[in-house]
């Protein structure tokens, strides 16, 4: 006789398990402890098997019959429903392991050790905030271009055009990693070229007029913040390295007797040498008395960590400069590049090597940390002398290495 809900509810647990049969191999197993489990008994190649259907009353009588009928259809087609379920579970686990977020985090873990910590932090935060909530759980192989575009346009819609383009770039890197590791067939991000609004790339704010540079240098001299930050401000125009390289500078890389600073440029994956003018050495020797016992030249509040990446820009704002339109920490590089070439008439290739840029030569794009080193040593001292003259308010006549009138 087919089961009824009334019969199920009226059947009390006994000393031994009780089976209430419904037909077609379906039965309800009632344990002495009162649990009620749906089971389906079937045969494959003459061997009897059991398939778990669910727990009553979460799975009601009607739903249990539906699952029984579905399983019997598989049997009619020569498929073992138990093996089919195992395959589904395996596929589900594989889908989770091959989700966009899982692949992205694997890609990030492999790439991050070669990046600057700030760069790595920005990438993972971008993914966690703008990509994972919508694509993270999706199997990466199933994500198509329109789905990715919808997520990127959500970023674009809030006006963050540069972030949208950077997210597009990161997603492309992740998809290509998935292709290389056999988790996807192709990279759909390539189909989105031209689909986003163009990003407005603006140069870092900088001061390149010699008179205004002199005003800035005098303002730095008058800065009343911490000694560590003031030294960073004094050295920023003298060394014109990237802000992240300056703030994370370590004493181990400095040889003040030889007047040089050596470090690894994470952005270009190259070793770099910065010749130190006598003015820079003097500032560093004075600072060494305060921070030389630690790792970092410019330690932060926690001496085990470098100064905040916002410290220099915050100091410039305290001095009254707008870091969006006048000068930013990165702007000292543009200042040096422009004035060294236009006012001091230094050869561009010498300046570019000192900026740790890759310079195209007869052998292709390359960078050599010691190329033009003699010219660079001379240039760095001339640059420091030139800045001293600007700070003093002298009128400078354009010419090689600067000539004071």
């Amino acid at each position: 006789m087919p089961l009824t809900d009334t019969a199920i509810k009226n059947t009390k647990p006994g000393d031994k398990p009780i089976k209430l049969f419904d037909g077609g191999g379906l039965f309800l197993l009632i344990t002495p402890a009162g649990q009620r489990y749906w089971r389906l008994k079937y045969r494959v190649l003459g061997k009897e098997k059991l398939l778990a259907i669910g727990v009553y009353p979460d799975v009601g009588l009607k739903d249990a019959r539906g699952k029984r009928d579905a399983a019997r259809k598989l049997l009619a087609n020569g498929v073992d429903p138990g093996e089919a379920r195992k395959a589904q579970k395996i596929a589900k686990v594989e889908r989770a392991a091959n989700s966009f977020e899982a692949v992205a985090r694997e890609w990030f873990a492999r790439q991050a050790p070669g990046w600057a910590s700030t760069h790595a932090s920005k990438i993972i935060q971008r993914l966690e905030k703008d990509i994972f909530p919508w694509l993270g759980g999706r199997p990466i192989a199933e994500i198509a271009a329109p789905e990715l575009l919808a997520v990127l346009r959500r970023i674009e819609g809030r006006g963050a055009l540069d972030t949208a383009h950077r997210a597009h770039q990161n997603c492309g890197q992740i998809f290509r990693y998935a292709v290389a590791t056999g988790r996807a067939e192709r990279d759909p991000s390539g189909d989105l070229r031209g689909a986003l609004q163009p990003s407005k790339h603006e140069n870092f704010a900088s001061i390149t007029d010699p008179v205004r540079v002199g005003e800035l240098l005098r303002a730095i001299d008058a800065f009343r913040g911490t000694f560590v930050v003031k030294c960073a401000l004094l050295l920023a125009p003298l060394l014109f390295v990237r802000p992240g390289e300056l703030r994370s500078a370590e004493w181990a890389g400095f040889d003040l007797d030889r007047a040089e600073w050596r470090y690894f440029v994470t952005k270009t994956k190259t070793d770099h040498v910065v010749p130190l003018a006598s003015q820079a050495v003097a500032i560093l020797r004075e600072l060494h008395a305060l921070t030389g016992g630690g790792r970092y030249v410019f330690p932060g509040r926690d001496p085990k960590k470098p100064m905040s990446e916002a410290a220099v820009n915050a100091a410039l704002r305290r001095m009254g400069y707008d870091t969006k339109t006048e000068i930013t920490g990165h702007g000292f590089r543009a200042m040096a590049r422009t004035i060294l070439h236009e006012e001091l008439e230094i050869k561009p290739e010498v300046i570019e090597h000192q900026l740790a840029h890759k310079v195209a030569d007869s052998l292709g794009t390359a960078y050599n940390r010691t190329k033009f080193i003699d010219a660079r040593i001379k240039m760095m001292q001339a640059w420091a002398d030139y800045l001293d003259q600007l700070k003093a308010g002298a009128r400078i006549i354009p010419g090689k290495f600067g000539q004071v009138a």
Side-chain angles (χ1 to χ4, degrees), residues 49 57 81 125 141 154 212 218 257 304 312 361 381-382 387:
K49 292 188 173 185
Q125 288 177 16
R154 185 176 285 107
R212 292 195 62 213
R218 289 190 290 275
D257 292 331
K304 295 181 180 179
V312 168
D361 57 21
Q381 185 59 58
L387 293 179

Side-chain angles (χ1 to χ4, degrees), residues 72-269:
R72 294 189 69 81
K73 284 181 181 179
L74 290 174
L75 282 168
N77 291 317
V79 178
D80 183 337
E83 294 302 318
R85 177 177 292 177
K86 289 179 183 178
Q88 289 175 350
K89 287 182 178 180
I90 292 173
K92 187 175 181 180
V93 171
E94 290 180 347
R95 283 163 64 92
N98 295 331
S99 69
F100 182 89
E101 181 171 351
V103 175
R105 290 191 182 278
E106 182 181 316
W107 165 80
F108 178 80
R110 288 180 174 274
Q111 299 297 322
W115 293 333
S117 59
T118 53
H119 179 65
S121 178
K122 287 176 182 177
I123 288 180
I124 196 63
Q125 288 177 16
R126 186 182 303 135
L127 292 171
E128 291 176 341
K129 177 183 177 183
D130 293 318
I131 305 298
F132 290 165
W134 292 275
L135 292 182
R138 295 275 289 122
I140 195 165
E142 297 180 12
I143 298 174
E147 188 175 2
L148 175 59
L149 179 60
V151 174
L152 296 175
R153 282 196 169 153
R154 185 176 285 107
I155 305 171
E156 184 184 64
R158 67 172 191 261
L161 300 183
D162 187 61
T163 299
H165 282 274
R166 291 179 185 276
H168 179 205
Q169 180 185 31
N170 295 149
C171 287
Q173 293 169 318
I174 293 164
F175 279 116
R176 290 190 289 277
Y177 177 75
V179 172
T181 55
R183 267 81 69 84
E185 293 294 326
R186 62 184 302 273
D187 167 21
S189 71
D191 300 333
L192 302 184
R193 291 188 181 91
L196 297 174
Q197 296 179 43
S199 177
K200 298 178 181 179
H201 290 286
E202 298 180 357
N203 294 325
F204 291 102
S206 182
I207 296 174
T208 57
D209 174 67
V211 174
R212 292 195 62 213
V213 170
E215 294 171 354
L216 171 61
L217 296 174
R218 289 190 290 275
I220 291 175
D221 264 4
F223 179 70
R224 291 295 178 264
T226 68
F227 183 65
V228 169
V229 173
K230 182 170 183 176
C231 287
L233 283 170
L234 291 169
L235 288 168
L238 288 172
L239 308 182
F240 52 88
V241 295
R242 296 176 180 88
E245 297 162 359
L246 181 67
R247 76 177 187 87
S248 60
E250 300 182 12
W251 281 116
F254 285 85
D255 187 333
L256 299 183
D257 292 331
R258 295 183 60 180
E260 67 177 24
W261 171 27
R262 293 174 180 262
Y263 65 94
F264 184 74
V265 182
T266 55
K267 183 173 183 178
T268 57
K269 305 294 187 295

Side-chain angles (χ1 to χ4, degrees), residues 335-348 351:
M335 174 194 293
R337 184 193 299 111
T338 300
I339 297 179
L340 281 169
H341 177 59
E342 295 182 359
E343 302 293 331
L344 277 63
E345 299 181 359
I346 305 296
K347 293 180 179 179
I351 302 170

Side-chain angles (χ1 to χ4, degrees), residues 4-21:
T4 65
D5 282 312
T6 300
I8 293 172
K9 292 175 182 177
N10 289 338
T11 302
K12 305 300 180 183
D15 295 334
K16 297 181 179 180
I18 299 171
K19 295 179 180 179
L20 302 180
F21 290 90

